[in-house]
Amino acid sequence: MTSHDDRSPILVWFRQDLRLDDHPALAHAAETGRPVVPLYVLDEESEGLRAWGGAHRWWLHHALDALGTALKEHHLPLVLRRGPALREVVDVAKAAGAGALWYNRRYGPGERAVDEAVAEALGDLDCQGFTGTILHEPEAVQTGSGGFYRVFTPFFRKLQSLGDPRDPIDPPKHLKTNDTSVRSDRLADWNLLPKKPNWSGGIDEAWQAGEDAAHQRFAAFQEEILAGYKDSRNLPAEDGTSRMSPHLHWGSVSPYRLWHDAQARGKGAEGAGAYRRELAWRDFNYHLLFHVADFTRANYDKRFDRFPWRKSPKDLEAWQQGRTGYPLVDAGMRQLWQTGWMHNRVRMVAASFLTKHLLIDWRAGEAWFWDTLVDGDAANNVSQWQWVAGCGADAQPFFRIFNPIGQSRKFDKGGDYIRRFVPELAALPDKAIHAPWEAGEDVLDEAGVALGKTYPKPIVDHEEARKRALDAFAMIRG
């Protein structure tokens, strides 16, 4: 494409940064005083990109609707296009007479390949990528030998030595509209929302997408939860987490904004420190995604390529449906299906149960989470699954096998979380609700529980499953 003068429009390509606040590409474009053309491309065709899951698509619809509304206040229409990004971005750039394409960087290998191909196709247009979705660029955090960190603790020490991340950038006050209109799809025509029967009712009740909702939720978190976050984040029955994961995944809020707001509100407090550590853990996962080409598909620890995973569609389905007979696991899987989200402590227990109690490949669980989580994230989802399965870069030892009964008794002591999502067990006393099969028949009868009828018997014995898992690991150790 031909070069343009410094008065030509800047095409701002939105991706997983669906906000106006602390959006470096948009903010710097606004500072130039040049017209701005905001664009979102739904690319389900380019090689190396993964199609969004069902829960993703629900969130994306509402987040784009909110972004379009926010841009309308600046008299800017959000241009929507569906198709390969290489084709659609180049077409919009030509139609708008753009002289520049600015965006916030992406870190997956497929996304980076698409961005490089688009920049090459645009020739001498000014294509710039900014840092807006993680706290530190992967190239900026290196070991003493110039490599990347494979273990979180030294990675976190390195981040701390770099000082605080940059300050967030306030949303632009003025955005100049382009004189040339550009064809745009209608969001409704993308059919991102489920058809009848509508399975998203629980997600509708649990979540509100968009930038305003993200800031409102985080303000409430700071006011009511942050001080005790270090402990409350482990209790699934409580509203003790920030619930920012989908907002971070879709970029309706900036990690810089969260980092500095948490620091300002809780400086020196344990809760604020624990929360910033979680943001750093997110960065660590993205750095792994950047540096390890097959991270989302392959075992980081290649010993696990020989691991004797079981293929059991019946067991996988029982796990997916929350019918394993282990109440905490089942509560988590049902929370996931109903709300598009699962408490992080329970995610670890459920993932451990699939990979170690059932010996089912972590990739089967990751695929289910990808389709059902509103925050299903290429970096975080895969990293957590590999961590739990024992095959990741900074994995827990394989022999650490979460006991779902012990975890339940420790973190859902009164059984409130189980009662909410496994209501057929609600009448059981606290002592019995974590392992109903250990209760006497009189206790079960009084609670209206008939094992194998109203609630499943355990599909596997914990101690037998633990031994089977350790024996399987012994086959690949060394």
Side-chain angles (χ1 to χ4, degrees), residues 134-370:
I134 59 176
L135 297 170
H136 297 279
E137 288 290 348
E139 301 92 338
V141 185
Q142 296 185 340
T143 65
S145 60
F148 67 95
Y149 286 93
R150 293 164 173 81
V151 178
F152 174 69
T153 301
F155 172 86
F156 187 48
R157 282 200 296 266
K158 178 71 173 184
L159 285 196
Q160 290 175 306
S161 74
L162 297 175
D164 280 335
R166 65 160 175 81
D167 289 333
I169 307 166
D170 288 337
K173 291 185 172 61
H174 304 290
L175 289 165
K176 188 175 180 181
T177 307
N178 192 31
D179 293 334
T180 305
S181 62
V182 179
R183 178 185 66 80
S184 174
D185 295 347
R186 291 178 64 249
L187 180 59
D189 292 340
W190 285 0
N191 295 315
L192 296 173
L193 298 178
K195 301 291 188 184
K196 292 182 179 179
N198 183 355
W199 47 259
S200 68
I203 300 179
D204 290 330
E205 292 180 12
W207 297 101
Q208 186 177 353
E211 186 171 3
D212 289 346
H215 286 278
Q216 289 168 13
R217 168 62 195 182
F218 196 69
F221 168 71
Q222 288 178 281
E223 188 68 33
E224 302 164 12
I225 301 169
L226 181 60
Y229 171 75
K230 186 177 180 182
D231 296 321
S232 69
R233 63 180 175 156
N234 279 311
L235 305 175
E238 295 186 10
D239 183 16
T241 67
S242 72
R243 295 174 69 90
M244 284 292 107
S245 55
H247 293 291
L248 281 165
H249 171 71
W250 293 105
S252 48
V253 72
S254 148
Y256 297 89
R257 182 66 68 188
L258 299 186
W259 178 282
H260 286 284
D261 280 6
Q263 189 174 48
R265 180 62 66 94
K267 195 167 186 178
E270 275 192 340
Y275 190 75
R276 292 197 303 274
R277 186 181 176 90
E278 292 300 311
L279 291 174
W281 171 255
R282 177 177 177 270
D283 253 36
F284 176 65
N285 295 335
Y286 269 90
H287 287 216
L288 291 175
L289 179 69
F290 178 85
H291 287 293
V292 183
D294 59 354
F295 180 67
T296 60
R297 305 181 304 275
N299 299 307
Y300 182 89
D301 183 342
K302 298 307 178 187
R303 292 180 302 169
F304 279 80
D305 292 348
R306 309 190 310 273
F307 191 84
W309 299 113
R310 295 173 60 241
K311 288 190 181 297
S312 176
K314 181 181 177 182
D315 285 353
L316 176 61
E317 184 178 76
W319 177 82
Q320 291 170 337
Q321 294 180 353
R323 304 284 296 167
T324 69
Y326 285 84
L328 184 65
V329 175
D330 292 342
M333 298 308 295
R334 296 187 198 184
Q335 181 185 33
L336 171 62
W337 182 254
Q338 292 173 29
T339 72
W341 185 83
M342 191 196 304
H343 188 277
N344 188 61
R345 165 62 56 176
V346 189
R347 290 189 201 200
M348 292 189 288
V349 176
S352 179
F353 189 88
L354 183 75
T355 56
K356 295 176 179 176
H357 284 72
L358 301 182
L359 290 188
I360 291 176
D361 195 322
W362 64 269
R363 282 159 286 215
E366 191 275 337
W368 183 252
F369 273 27
W370 181 264

